[in-house]
Amino acid sequence: KGSLRYALSQTGPRTIVFDVAGLIELKSGLNISKGDVTIAGQTAPGEGITLTGENFYLKGAENVIIRYLHFRHGQATAKDDSFYVQASQNIMIDHCSFTYGSDEDCSARNTENLTIQWSIVTNGVRTHSMGGLQEWSSESIHHCLWGNQNDRNPKAKGIMDFTNNVLYNWGEHPFVAGGNSGGNGWGNLVNNYFIAGLDTKYPDYAVD
């Protein structure tokens, strides 16, 4: 009792707050399947809360707010995303950072009404180094930094509103519209800044 994992396993509307700050080393994946929850990372003192070692994911969850958490998967375990959302709806991610994903840093699949705002998605583990695979979801991503990744910044299939973001130092591919998969995708890209860096292979192409 009192742990983040315990709090997420409970049911009913709840807000999770933190009395201490620090690193939570996950021994197994941590899943939110019971929604109606707010994780208020901004309540942690000092440098806040960082989760590492295994991935953090939402599967079949509704009405979830996650604020001010750091997600760092790393390579201690099998290849996986730092953060992954699947088959969920009404999800708000605010002021979080997603880095060191050994597959992708921040991905979503078959999710409705997902917002990612004022967040950082950078530095996927090389050589894979992927930002996010956003598949068959309805999403709004705004005021975020995507940087220092080779590809999928993000790769968007479905309905995507992508506004007021900064994409920095992509490798081969920046924003990828649809890719080679079947099906239609709809994207609204407005007011984004694409800033090439030393790793950028094709600096003149912002959307692939």
Side-chain angles (χ1 to χ4, degrees), residues 2-127:
S3 71
L4 177 59
R5 191 181 295 270
Y6 175 85
L8 291 176
S9 72
Q10 304 305 296
T11 59
R14 59 213 186 278
T15 299
I16 298 171
V17 298
F18 299 89
D19 290 333
V20 296
L23 183 71
I24 299 175
E25 296 188 37
L26 301 175
K27 302 303 182 183
S28 60
L30 183 53
N31 176 33
I32 298 178
S33 60
K34 300 170 183 176
D36 300 319
V37 60
T38 295
I39 306 177
Q42 73 273 19
T43 61
E47 297 299 318
I49 299 293
T50 298
L51 295 99
T52 188
E54 284 279 2
N55 74 322
F56 187 101
Y57 58 102
L58 285 71
K59 190 171 183 179
E62 298 183 9
N63 308 323
V64 176
I65 298 172
I66 301 174
R67 306 191 70 216
Y68 290 89
L69 293 182
H70 312 298
F71 298 89
R72 310 278 187 268
H73 182 265
Q75 282 187 306
T77 58
K79 191 179 209 180
D80 216 332
D81 298 342
S82 279
F83 183 88
Y84 182 68
V85 184
Q86 181 177 341
S88 299
Q89 61 182 354
N90 304 328
I91 311 298
M92 169 72 77
I93 310 298
D94 174 60
H95 283 86
C96 291
S97 63
F98 309 91
T99 61
Y100 309 142
S102 55
D103 195 356
E104 274 86 26
D105 280 325
C106 179
S107 294
R109 184 180 180 91
N110 296 326
T111 291
E112 297 182 10
N113 301 330
L114 167 64
T115 297
I116 304 172
Q117 63 181 30
W118 300 101
S119 293
I120 296 172
V121 185
T122 63
N123 296 85
V125 172
R126 296 178 183 269
T127 57

Side-chain angles (χ1 to χ4, degrees), residues 58 84-91 106-116 132-141 154-162 175 182 184-188:
L58 285 71
Y84 182 68
V85 184
Q86 181 177 341
S88 299
Q89 61 182 354
N90 304 328
I91 311 298
C106 179
S107 294
R109 184 180 180 91
N110 296 326
T111 291
E112 297 182 10
N113 301 330
L114 167 64
T115 297
I116 304 172
L133 186 55
Q134 319 299 94
E135 297 184 294
W136 322 129
S137 299
S138 59
E139 299 184 43
S140 174
I141 298 177
K155 183 174 184 178
K157 314 171 189 179
I159 301 173
M160 170 66 72
D161 185 70
F162 194 81
F175 187 99
N184 295 322
W186 294 266
N188 181 38

Side-chain angles (χ1 to χ4, degrees), residues 130-168:
M130 300 289 174
L133 186 55
Q134 319 299 94
E135 297 184 294
W136 322 129
S137 299
S138 59
E139 299 184 43
S140 174
I141 298 177
H142 66 88
H143 294 95
C144 293
L145 169 65
W146 297 69
N148 298 330
Q149 291 165 140
N150 187 55
D151 197 349
R152 301 177 186 170
N153 291 285
K155 183 174 184 178
K157 314 171 189 179
I159 301 173
M160 170 66 72
D161 185 70
F162 194 81
T163 59
N164 296 312
N165 299 287
V166 174
L167 276 73
Y168 172 71

